[in-house]
Amino acid sequence: METFNRTVTEFILLGFSLGHRGESLLALIFLAMYITSLAGNMLIFCLMLGNSQLHTPMYFFLGNFSILDIMFTSVISPQLLWNLLSGDKSIPFSSCITQLYFYFLLGTVEFLLLTSMSYDRYAAVCKPLHYHTLMSGEVCVRMVLACWLGGFLSVLCPIIQISRLSFCRSNSINHFFCDTGPLLELSCTNTRFIELMDFMLSSLVIVGSAVLTLISYACIISTILRIPTTSSRMKAFNTCATHLTLISISCGISIFTYVTPSQKETLDAHKVPAVLTTIVCPFLNPFLFTLKNDSVKEALRKTVQKTYDTIMENILATSKGNKFVLGKNL
């Protein structure tokens, strides 16, 4: 593939084009969702660290998923909020490529982590006697490290290729962040090889994760249906439903957006799914999935009670100390 020197130093993110008032309102909504997402996911991570009853493989993966959500939405949201509130929609070339890299890195890690979580549920339901051996602490850490290594290696080559393209047609990106489709649309270099590589890697990661998860859950459902008591079956289903919902939403949106031979032909249709994956899902995940879990709610209740008791003890101790000092002075 022939490579040219690029002719732009910055891009303009066209975003939503709603006018100043509409974009200001949208920025306030996104800001509230972003702050809530950070708070909710950080709360989950702190609960996982501070409660021994949550030191299990499932909550280890959920804690990592919360950190991943924080990082994923933080790659897009600050720049988007600045563009909407300031009216300055420019982004330097280097920042654009950096945003593109981390967006796909974190997105790939998320799919690999969700696949690891499906294996954890498979081991818990189908291999309960060997569960602690199959999902030991060392195994869990290695699985998470493998997810990050797989994400790093899979996106590195395409991003390097994109960064070497010539963007001489225009510097206006028809999106609210730097995505591959809009960037390739601006290039005057032949991008067929990059599009094919993108398609193959996206298919491998997204469709591969979906297939492996479906296989895991086929085995899980088969095992659950053989459980004799209804209450035990319901408990097993409820434990797995959260994860299955998460990966169904993620795979559905991502397949629509990225598992296409050419993303350049459907750019306008990508903005709403992108908002869902980058802002809405990280905002909803802690509340719809993790915080509704009974064990997490119990850990949260104990943490709140312990914090309240500590504050009250400090207030009472301070009050008694003040009374003692006052009595001595009198």
Side-chain angles (χ1 to χ4, degrees):
M1 183 179 66
E2 188 178 1
T3 304
F4 301 88
N5 292 326
R6 66 178 185 272
T7 57
V8 296
T9 57
E10 68 175 16
F11 292 105
I12 304 299
L13 298 169
L14 297 181
F16 301 98
S17 302
L18 300 174
H20 179 69
R21 184 172 296 180
E23 290 187 352
S24 297
L25 177 61
L26 196 63
L28 293 176
I29 295 171
F30 286 164
L31 177 61
M33 296 175 75
Y34 178 56
I35 293 173
T36 306
S37 174
L38 295 181
N41 283 294
M42 187 56 68
L43 173 63
I44 290 170
F45 181 70
C46 291
L47 285 174
M48 304 303 171
L49 285 180
N51 291 270
S52 57
Q53 70 188 69
L54 300 181
H55 292 174
T56 64
M58 182 177 78
Y59 295 110
F60 173 75
F61 286 121
L62 286 174
N64 277 274
F65 193 78
S66 294
I67 292 299
L68 199 58
D69 265 349
I70 290 173
M71 297 172 69
F72 189 62
T73 191
S74 295
V75 168
I76 305 298
S77 295
Q79 180 68 47
L80 172 60
L81 292 170
W82 169 256
N83 292 345
L84 290 173
L85 291 171
S86 69
D88 178 11
K89 299 191 177 185
S90 63
I91 180 171
F93 180 88
S94 57
S95 299
C96 183
I97 297 299
T98 302
Q99 185 185 63
L100 180 71
Y101 172 74
F102 280 103
Y103 172 75
F104 281 101
L105 167 65
L106 297 171
T108 302
V109 174
E110 181 175 307
F111 277 105
L112 297 177
L113 187 61
L114 286 169
T115 306
S116 301
M117 291 166 69
S118 70
Y119 177 75
D120 169 64
R121 292 299 84 211
Y122 163 79
V125 175
C126 302
K127 306 286 183 181
L129 298 179
H130 303 93
Y131 179 66
H132 293 291
T133 303
L134 293 172
M135 298 302 297
S136 64
E138 183 181 354
V139 171
C140 291
V141 171
R142 286 182 177 180
M143 289 175 73
V144 171
L145 291 177
C147 291
W148 281 97
L149 181 61
F152 171 77
L153 294 176
S154 65
V155 304
L156 185 62
C157 185
I159 300 303
I160 291 175
Q161 293 295 323
I162 291 173
S163 69
R164 298 174 61 201
L165 292 175
S166 172
F167 299 97
C168 54
R169 291 179 181 171
S170 171
N171 69 335
S172 297
I173 297 176
N174 185 22
H175 215 321
F176 61 86
F177 71 97
C178 293
D179 200 358
T180 51
L183 275 173
L184 295 179
E185 176 70 15
L186 302 182
S187 177
C188 50
T189 311
N190 188 343
T191 61
R192 287 184 179 179
F193 174 72
I194 297 177
E195 289 182 64
L196 179 61
M197 183 166 48
D198 259 359
F199 172 68
M200 293 177 65
L201 288 172
S202 298
S203 300
L204 179 64
V205 172
I206 299 170
V207 178
S209 296
V211 169
L212 290 174
T213 300
L214 286 175
I215 293 172
S216 297
Y217 274 95
C219 297
I220 289 170
I221 292 171
S222 175
T223 302
I224 289 174
L225 292 176
R226 292 198 297 269
I227 297 176
T229 60
T230 304
S231 59
S232 298
R233 283 201 301 268
M234 290 302 297
K235 184 178 179 180
F237 270 122
N238 290 336
T239 302
C240 300
T242 296
H243 172 255
L244 189 58
T245 305
L246 269 174
I247 198 164
S248 297
I249 294 172
S250 299
C251 283
I253 295 174
S254 298
I255 286 173
F256 169 77
T257 306
Y258 295 109
V259 186
T260 55
S262 177
Q263 298 175 33
K264 296 190 291 186
E265 298 173 1
T266 56
L267 294 182
D268 289 328
H270 288 180
K271 292 181 183 179
V272 173
V275 169
L276 293 177
T277 55
T278 59
I279 299 173
V280 178
C281 284
F283 163 71
L284 292 177
N285 285 344
F287 305 101
L288 292 184
F289 303 121
T290 310
L291 288 176
K292 67 182 292 187
N293 181 284
D294 290 337
S295 298
V296 175
K297 286 193 290 188
E298 179 63 18
L300 179 60
R301 187 192 67 80
K302 289 182 178 179
T303 301
V304 171
Q305 184 64 47
K306 184 178 180 180
T307 304
Y308 174 78
D309 291 342
T310 302
I311 292 172
M312 293 305 297
E313 286 176 6
N314 290 335
I315 292 174
L316 290 173
T318 303
S319 178
K320 287 179 180 179
N322 290 338
K323 286 181 179 180
F324 177 74
V325 172
L326 182 61
K328 286 185 67 177
N329 291 336
L330 292 175

